[in-house]
Amino acid sequence: MTRSPLLRRDYALIWSAGLVSDTGDWLLMIALPLFAFAATGSALGASTVFLAELIPMLLAGTFLGVLVDRWDPRRTMIVTALLQGVVLLPLLAAGPDRMGIVYAVAAVQACLGAVMNPARQSMVPRLLRPDELGRGNALLAISDNLARLVGSPLGGLAFALSGLPGVVIVDAVSFALTALLVAFTRPLAPRIPEPGEESAPAVERRLLREWVEGIATILRNRDLLTITVIAVIGSVAQGVFLVLFIVYVTENLHAGDTEVGILRGVQAIGGVLGGLLTGVLVRRIAPRPLIGVGYLIFGALSLLTWNLAPVTTAVWVYAGLFIAMGLPSVATETGEITLVQTITPRAALGRVFAAVRTLSGAAQGVGLLLAGLIASSAGTVHVLDAQASLYLLCGVLALVFLGGGARAGRDAVPEPAASGSTPS
């Protein structure tokens, strides 16, 4: 029996750092909209926080990924975590008449997150063997969901007990701890250029040219292009969900704020269970069926959820459904990341991940706008049914257009450089 990647010291430290960092992200993700809503008295004020996070990522996300490819990912994670902690401090002066501080901090934190996440994902293939990548990514998915499970209620509790200053203090400590954990990892050996890869002169290329080459990497590879299209469609669905979830719970289920928080967080329980299950499945199942079947199951569960209100409005029933959705959600995410890591030239990983993230962010913005524009006329349930159908479409696209792919377990070998959102 192969040993867990968590028994590898450096990977375990990066895994722990990701858990702490993501917990801090969820603290802020819960607290800032709550503060904005309390300060402005309107949902528009809260939604502006999400827009403040989204717009900078769309403008700079791909270019930040290019920088990640230039820099040592270990040092990048350390410096970024420290900056995330420092950038929080202006929130101590925020107030109803100083909402610009909140929006500015949200925007900068989004940009720093667009550096931190690709850097961590770029480190994983350098810390694990190819046959360990699938399990390593499944463990990262468990980390993400544990962070959501802990960070969401902790953010609400910290905000309720001590307001935004309390959240700032707890969050700053989490980012400092993240930097410390990464600092304990061993320095990475200089990366050896892959066959056909440009060496020293490539480092001096202009950012715009590298950005174009990152996009070209996606366009040249059918599987990468398919993954990107799936991510874009899934992100449109996610944007619709973010707008209409609260409306559905309050109007169709006749529930309150507490139930909204519970249902928003319990999917992480399924995510943890899904990470454990996916860690086993990914060694036996290629990424294509993992992604395709995962999206089909997620879409079917979504359709059931949005149309169940005439039968029952019991919150515990919907909590069970949202927990169940966490399993296929992790399966699709793990399959997508593993496939991208497997078929992408190592030197382009950061920019490819950042490009997909940027396009997904734009698609999520489209979903937010569409939901706000058509929900009142078309009806909440009808729009959510269309949202669930987008996930079903993602599943069909994965099964039809993705190649068999290298098996995510022992057969996965990255191609040489010369070879050419997840639901939540």
Side-chain angles (χ1 to χ4, degrees), residues 145-174:
N145 283 281
L146 285 174
R148 177 177 179 174
L149 195 60
V150 173
S152 298
L154 187 58
L157 180 62
F159 183 78
L161 294 178
S162 54
L164 197 56
V167 174
V168 169
I169 293 171
V170 175
D171 207 5
V173 170
S174 76

PDB file of all heavy atoms in Angstrom, residues 145-174:
ATOM      1  N   ASN A 145     -12.018  22.319   1.896  1.00  0.00           N
ATOM      2  CA  ASN A 145     -13.334  22.172   2.512  1.00  0.00           C
ATOM      3  C   ASN A 145     -13.269  22.272   4.030  1.00  0.00           C
ATOM      4  O   ASN A 145     -14.195  22.784   4.656  1.00  0.00           O
ATOM      5  CB  ASN A 145     -13.963  20.849   2.077  1.00  0.00           C
ATOM      6  CG  ASN A 145     -14.507  20.909   0.666  1.00  0.00           C
ATOM      7  OD1 ASN A 145     -15.594  21.440   0.428  1.00  0.00           O
ATOM      8  ND2 ASN A 145     -13.754  20.394  -0.296  1.00  0.00           N
ATOM      9  N   LEU A 146     -12.182  21.775   4.633  1.00  0.00           N
ATOM     10  CA  LEU A 146     -12.019  21.981   6.067  1.00  0.00           C
ATOM     11  C   LEU A 146     -11.912  23.465   6.391  1.00  0.00           C
ATOM     12  O   LEU A 146     -12.472  23.939   7.383  1.00  0.00           O
ATOM     13  CB  LEU A 146     -10.767  21.238   6.551  1.00  0.00           C
ATOM     14  CG  LEU A 146     -10.858  19.719   6.677  1.00  0.00           C
ATOM     15  CD1 LEU A 146      -9.497  19.131   7.026  1.00  0.00           C
ATOM     16  CD2 LEU A 146     -11.890  19.331   7.745  1.00  0.00           C
ATOM     17  N   ALA A 147     -11.195  24.206   5.541  1.00  0.00           N
ATOM     18  CA  ALA A 147     -11.073  25.650   5.753  1.00  0.00           C
ATOM     19  C   ALA A 147     -12.431  26.328   5.671  1.00  0.00           C
ATOM     20  O   ALA A 147     -12.742  27.221   6.468  1.00  0.00           O
ATOM     21  CB  ALA A 147     -10.119  26.243   4.712  1.00  0.00           C
ATOM     22  N   ARG A 148     -13.239  25.900   4.718  1.00  0.00           N
ATOM     23  CA  ARG A 148     -14.591  26.455   4.595  1.00  0.00           C
ATOM     24  C   ARG A 148     -15.438  26.112   5.807  1.00  0.00           C
ATOM     25  O   ARG A 148     -16.172  26.963   6.332  1.00  0.00           O
ATOM     26  CB  ARG A 148     -15.237  25.905   3.319  1.00  0.00           C
ATOM     27  CG  ARG A 148     -16.666  26.342   3.086  1.00  0.00           C
ATOM     28  CD  ARG A 148     -17.165  25.788   1.766  1.00  0.00           C
ATOM     29  NE  ARG A 148     -18.536  26.156   1.496  1.00  0.00           N
ATOM     30  CZ  ARG A 148     -19.161  25.898   0.361  1.00  0.00           C
ATOM     31  NH1 ARG A 148     -18.537  25.266  -0.599  1.00  0.00           N
ATOM     32  NH2 ARG A 148     -20.412  26.262   0.182  1.00  0.00           N
ATOM     33  N   LEU A 149     -15.314  24.872   6.263  1.00  0.00           N
ATOM     34  CA  LEU A 149     -16.109  24.414   7.396  1.00  0.00           C
ATOM     35  C   LEU A 149     -15.747  25.161   8.674  1.00  0.00           C
ATOM     36  O   LEU A 149     -16.607  25.474   9.490  1.00  0.00           O
ATOM     37  CB  LEU A 149     -15.901  22.903   7.581  1.00  0.00           C
ATOM     38  CG  LEU A 149     -16.889  22.151   8.464  1.00  0.00           C
ATOM     39  CD1 LEU A 149     -18.304  22.264   7.940  1.00  0.00           C
ATOM     40  CD2 LEU A 149     -16.485  20.682   8.563  1.00  0.00           C
ATOM     41  N   VAL A 150     -14.457  25.468   8.837  1.00  0.00           N
ATOM     42  CA  VAL A 150     -14.000  26.170  10.038  1.00  0.00           C
ATOM     43  C   VAL A 150     -14.103  27.681   9.862  1.00  0.00           C
ATOM     44  O   VAL A 150     -14.560  28.400  10.758  1.00  0.00           O
ATOM     45  CB  VAL A 150     -12.539  25.773  10.359  1.00  0.00           C
ATOM     46  CG1 VAL A 150     -11.994  26.613  11.510  1.00  0.00           C
ATOM     47  CG2 VAL A 150     -12.453  24.292  10.702  1.00  0.00           C
ATOM     48  N   GLY A 151     -13.672  28.183   8.697  1.00  0.00           N
ATOM     49  CA  GLY A 151     -13.592  29.619   8.499  1.00  0.00           C
ATOM     50  C   GLY A 151     -14.932  30.320   8.437  1.00  0.00           C
ATOM     51  O   GLY A 151     -15.060  31.450   8.922  1.00  0.00           O
ATOM     52  N   SER A 152     -15.946  29.678   7.853  1.00  0.00           N
ATOM     53  CA  SER A 152     -17.253  30.327   7.729  1.00  0.00           C
ATOM     54  C   SER A 152     -17.870  30.654   9.085  1.00  0.00           C
ATOM     55  O   SER A 152     -18.184  31.810   9.367  1.00  0.00           O
ATOM     56  CB  SER A 152     -18.197  29.459   6.890  1.00  0.00           C
ATOM     57  OG  SER A 152     -17.700  29.298   5.586  1.00  0.00           O
ATOM     58  N   PRO A 153     -18.075  29.649   9.965  1.00  0.00           N
ATOM     59  CA  PRO A 153     -18.645  29.995  11.279  1.00  0.00           C
ATOM     60  C   PRO A 153     -17.710  30.844  12.123  1.00  0.00           C
ATOM     61  O   PRO A 153     -18.160  31.698  12.891  1.00  0.00           O
ATOM     62  CB  PRO A 153     -18.890  28.622  11.931  1.00  0.00           C
ATOM     63  CG  PRO A 153     -17.997  27.672  11.218  1.00  0.00           C
ATOM     64  CD  PRO A 153     -17.879  28.190   9.820  1.00  0.00           C
ATOM     65  N   LEU A 154     -16.393  30.641  11.979  1.00  0.00           N
ATOM     66  CA  LEU A 154     -15.448  31.440  12.760  1.00  0.00           C
ATOM     67  C   LEU A 154     -15.493  32.906  12.341  1.00  0.00           C
ATOM     68  O   LEU A 154     -15.423  33.810  13.189  1.00  0.00           O
ATOM     69  CB  LEU A 154     -14.023  30.892  12.567  1.00  0.00           C
ATOM     70  CG  LEU A 154     -12.927  31.522  13.444  1.00  0.00           C
ATOM     71  CD1 LEU A 154     -13.257  31.363  14.919  1.00  0.00           C
ATOM     72  CD2 LEU A 154     -11.576  30.897  13.125  1.00  0.00           C
ATOM     73  N   GLY A 155     -15.641  33.153  11.032  1.00  0.00           N
ATOM     74  CA  GLY A 155     -15.768  34.526  10.570  1.00  0.00           C
ATOM     75  C   GLY A 155     -17.021  35.187  11.099  1.00  0.00           C
ATOM     76  O   GLY A 155     -16.986  36.341  11.557  1.00  0.00           O
ATOM     77  N   GLY A 156     -18.153  34.469  11.057  1.00  0.00           N
ATOM     78  CA  GLY A 156     -19.389  35.020  11.601  1.00  0.00           C
ATOM     79  C   GLY A 156     -19.315  35.245  13.096  1.00  0.00           C
ATOM     80  O   GLY A 156     -19.786  36.265  13.612  1.00  0.00           O
ATOM     81  N   LEU A 157     -18.689  34.290  13.820  1.00  0.00           N
ATOM     82  CA  LEU A 157     -18.579  34.412  15.269  1.00  0.00           C
ATOM     83  C   LEU A 157     -17.670  35.577  15.654  1.00  0.00           C
ATOM     84  O   LEU A 157     -18.002  36.378  16.536  1.00  0.00           O
ATOM     85  CB  LEU A 157     -18.034  33.104  15.846  1.00  0.00           C
ATOM     86  CG  LEU A 157     -17.860  33.059  17.375  1.00  0.00           C
ATOM     87  CD1 LEU A 157     -19.202  33.230  18.072  1.00  0.00           C
ATOM     88  CD2 LEU A 157     -17.207  31.737  17.791  1.00  0.00           C
ATOM     89  N   ALA A 158     -16.522  35.675  14.988  1.00  0.00           N
ATOM     90  CA  ALA A 158     -15.592  36.759  15.295  1.00  0.00           C
ATOM     91  C   ALA A 158     -16.216  38.112  15.003  1.00  0.00           C
ATOM     92  O   ALA A 158     -16.048  39.074  15.774  1.00  0.00           O
ATOM     93  CB  ALA A 158     -14.299  36.587  14.499  1.00  0.00           C
ATOM     94  N   PHE A 159     -16.972  38.200  13.911  1.00  0.00           N
ATOM     95  CA  PHE A 159     -17.628  39.467  13.578  1.00  0.00           C
ATOM     96  C   PHE A 159     -18.711  39.814  14.583  1.00  0.00           C
ATOM     97  O   PHE A 159     -18.868  40.975  14.979  1.00  0.00           O
ATOM     98  CB  PHE A 159     -18.219  39.385  12.168  1.00  0.00           C
ATOM     99  CG  PHE A 159     -18.849  40.658  11.698  1.00  0.00           C
ATOM    100  CD1 PHE A 159     -18.056  41.708  11.249  1.00  0.00           C
ATOM    101  CD2 PHE A 159     -20.222  40.817  11.704  1.00  0.00           C
ATOM    102  CE1 PHE A 159     -18.630  42.894  10.815  1.00  0.00           C
ATOM    103  CE2 PHE A 159     -20.808  41.990  11.271  1.00  0.00           C
ATOM    104  CZ  PHE A 159     -20.015  43.040  10.822  1.00  0.00           C
ATOM    105  N   ALA A 160     -19.469  38.793  15.033  1.00  0.00           N
ATOM    106  CA  ALA A 160     -20.542  39.045  16.004  1.00  0.00           C
ATOM    107  C   ALA A 160     -19.996  39.461  17.364  1.00  0.00           C
ATOM    108  O   ALA A 160     -20.566  40.312  18.037  1.00  0.00           O
ATOM    109  CB  ALA A 160     -21.404  37.788  16.137  1.00  0.00           C
ATOM    110  N   LEU A 161     -18.869  38.862  17.764  1.00  0.00           N
ATOM    111  CA  LEU A 161     -18.335  39.129  19.093  1.00  0.00           C
ATOM    112  C   LEU A 161     -17.518  40.409  19.175  1.00  0.00           C
ATOM    113  O   LEU A 161     -17.585  41.143  20.166  1.00  0.00           O
ATOM    114  CB  LEU A 161     -17.470  37.952  19.561  1.00  0.00           C
ATOM    115  CG  LEU A 161     -18.192  36.626  19.812  1.00  0.00           C
ATOM    116  CD1 LEU A 161     -17.201  35.548  20.213  1.00  0.00           C
ATOM    117  CD2 LEU A 161     -19.274  36.795  20.888  1.00  0.00           C
ATOM    118  N   SER A 162     -16.733  40.694  18.142  1.00  0.00           N
ATOM    119  CA  SER A 162     -15.807  41.828  18.232  1.00  0.00           C
ATOM    120  C   SER A 162     -15.782  42.709  17.003  1.00  0.00           C
ATOM    121  O   SER A 162     -14.906  43.572  16.889  1.00  0.00           O
ATOM    122  CB  SER A 162     -14.389  41.310  18.516  1.00  0.00           C
ATOM    123  OG  SER A 162     -14.010  40.344  17.562  1.00  0.00           O
ATOM    124  N   GLY A 163     -16.715  42.502  16.081  1.00  0.00           N
ATOM    125  CA  GLY A 163     -16.772  43.343  14.911  1.00  0.00           C
ATOM    126  C   GLY A 163     -15.616  43.087  13.958  1.00  0.00           C
ATOM    127  O   GLY A 163     -14.867  42.118  14.097  1.00  0.00           O
ATOM    128  N   LEU A 164     -15.445  44.006  13.023  1.00  0.00           N
ATOM    129  CA  LEU A 164     -14.411  43.831  12.012  1.00  0.00           C
ATOM    130  C   LEU A 164     -13.000  43.809  12.601  1.00  0.00           C
ATOM    131  O   LEU A 164     -12.151  43.055  12.116  1.00  0.00           O
ATOM    132  CB  LEU A 164     -14.528  44.931  10.960  1.00  0.00           C
ATOM    133  CG  LEU A 164     -13.812  44.685   9.625  1.00  0.00           C
ATOM    134  CD1 LEU A 164     -14.272  43.375   8.994  1.00  0.00           C
ATOM    135  CD2 LEU A 164     -14.053  45.846   8.668  1.00  0.00           C
ATOM    136  N   PRO A 165     -12.686  44.606  13.639  1.00  0.00           N
ATOM    137  CA  PRO A 165     -11.332  44.531  14.216  1.00  0.00           C
ATOM    138  C   PRO A 165     -10.957  43.136  14.697  1.00  0.00           C
ATOM    139  O   PRO A 165      -9.809  42.695  14.527  1.00  0.00           O
ATOM    140  CB  PRO A 165     -11.387  45.525  15.375  1.00  0.00           C
ATOM    141  CG  PRO A 165     -12.414  46.523  14.964  1.00  0.00           C
ATOM    142  CD  PRO A 165     -13.458  45.724  14.238  1.00  0.00           C
ATOM    143  N   GLY A 166     -11.895  42.413  15.300  1.00  0.00           N
ATOM    144  CA  GLY A 166     -11.610  41.057  15.747  1.00  0.00           C
ATOM    145  C   GLY A 166     -11.279  40.136  14.592  1.00  0.00           C
ATOM    146  O   GLY A 166     -10.372  39.306  14.673  1.00  0.00           O
ATOM    147  N   VAL A 167     -12.018  40.292  13.481  1.00  0.00           N
ATOM    148  CA  VAL A 167     -11.747  39.487  12.298  1.00  0.00           C
ATOM    149  C   VAL A 167     -10.365  39.807  11.741  1.00  0.00           C
ATOM    150  O   VAL A 167      -9.614  38.907  11.357  1.00  0.00           O
ATOM    151  CB  VAL A 167     -12.825  39.735  11.222  1.00  0.00           C
ATOM    152  CG1 VAL A 167     -12.480  39.007   9.926  1.00  0.00           C
ATOM    153  CG2 VAL A 167     -14.189  39.291  11.728  1.00  0.00           C
ATOM    154  N   VAL A 168     -10.019  41.088  11.724  1.00  0.00           N
ATOM    155  CA  VAL A 168      -8.713  41.507  11.206  1.00  0.00           C
ATOM    156  C   VAL A 168      -7.588  40.859  12.004  1.00  0.00           C
ATOM    157  O   VAL A 168      -6.610  40.346  11.442  1.00  0.00           O
ATOM    158  CB  VAL A 168      -8.581  43.040  11.240  1.00  0.00           C
ATOM    159  CG1 VAL A 168      -7.141  43.465  10.957  1.00  0.00           C
ATOM    160  CG2 VAL A 168      -9.529  43.670  10.222  1.00  0.00           C
ATOM    161  N   ILE A 169      -7.709  40.861  13.325  1.00  0.00           N
ATOM    162  CA  ILE A 169      -6.660  40.294  14.175  1.00  0.00           C
ATOM    163  C   ILE A 169      -6.513  38.796  13.935  1.00  0.00           C
ATOM    164  O   ILE A 169      -5.407  38.278  13.728  1.00  0.00           O
ATOM    165  CB  ILE A 169      -6.955  40.585  15.656  1.00  0.00           C
ATOM    166  CG1 ILE A 169      -6.852  42.091  15.920  1.00  0.00           C
ATOM    167  CG2 ILE A 169      -5.987  39.825  16.560  1.00  0.00           C
ATOM    168  CD1 ILE A 169      -7.330  42.504  17.295  1.00  0.00           C
ATOM    169  N   VAL A 170      -7.634  38.071  13.956  1.00  0.00           N
ATOM    170  CA  VAL A 170      -7.584  36.622  13.754  1.00  0.00           C
ATOM    171  C   VAL A 170      -7.046  36.297  12.368  1.00  0.00           C
ATOM    172  O   VAL A 170      -6.204  35.401  12.194  1.00  0.00           O
ATOM    173  CB  VAL A 170      -8.981  36.003  13.950  1.00  0.00           C
ATOM    174  CG1 VAL A 170      -8.951  34.509  13.628  1.00  0.00           C
ATOM    175  CG2 VAL A 170      -9.464  36.217  15.382  1.00  0.00           C
ATOM    176  N   ASP A 171      -7.495  37.052  11.369  1.00  0.00           N
ATOM    177  CA  ASP A 171      -7.076  36.784   9.996  1.00  0.00           C
ATOM    178  C   ASP A 171      -5.594  37.089   9.802  1.00  0.00           C
ATOM    179  O   ASP A 171      -4.869  36.338   9.125  1.00  0.00           O
ATOM    180  CB  ASP A 171      -7.916  37.638   9.042  1.00  0.00           C
ATOM    181  CG  ASP A 171      -8.049  36.998   7.667  1.00  0.00           C
ATOM    182  OD1 ASP A 171      -7.561  35.864   7.501  1.00  0.00           O
ATOM    183  OD2 ASP A 171      -8.628  37.620   6.772  1.00  0.00           O
ATOM    184  N   ALA A 172      -5.115  38.172  10.383  1.00  0.00           N
ATOM    185  CA  ALA A 172      -3.697  38.517  10.257  1.00  0.00           C
ATOM    186  C   ALA A 172      -2.815  37.436  10.872  1.00  0.00           C
ATOM    187  O   ALA A 172      -1.758  37.083  10.336  1.00  0.00           O
ATOM    188  CB  ALA A 172      -3.426  39.869  10.920  1.00  0.00           C
ATOM    189  N   VAL A 173      -3.259  36.892  11.999  1.00  0.00           N
ATOM    190  CA  VAL A 173      -2.510  35.803  12.637  1.00  0.00           C
ATOM    191  C   VAL A 173      -2.473  34.580  11.720  1.00  0.00           C
ATOM    192  O   VAL A 173      -1.444  33.901  11.601  1.00  0.00           O
ATOM    193  CB  VAL A 173      -3.138  35.438  13.996  1.00  0.00           C
ATOM    194  CG1 VAL A 173      -2.526  34.154  14.552  1.00  0.00           C
ATOM    195  CG2 VAL A 173      -2.958  36.581  14.995  1.00  0.00           C
ATOM    196  N   SER A 174      -3.586  34.306  11.039  1.00  0.00           N
ATOM    197  CA  SER A 174      -3.626  33.133  10.146  1.00  0.00           C
ATOM    198  C   SER A 174      -2.633  33.292   8.994  1.00  0.00           C
ATOM    199  O   SER A 174      -1.975  32.328   8.597  1.00  0.00           O
ATOM    200  CB  SER A 174      -5.047  32.920   9.602  1.00  0.00           C
ATOM    201  OG  SER A 174      -5.366  33.841   8.574  1.00  0.00           O
TER     202      SER A 174
END
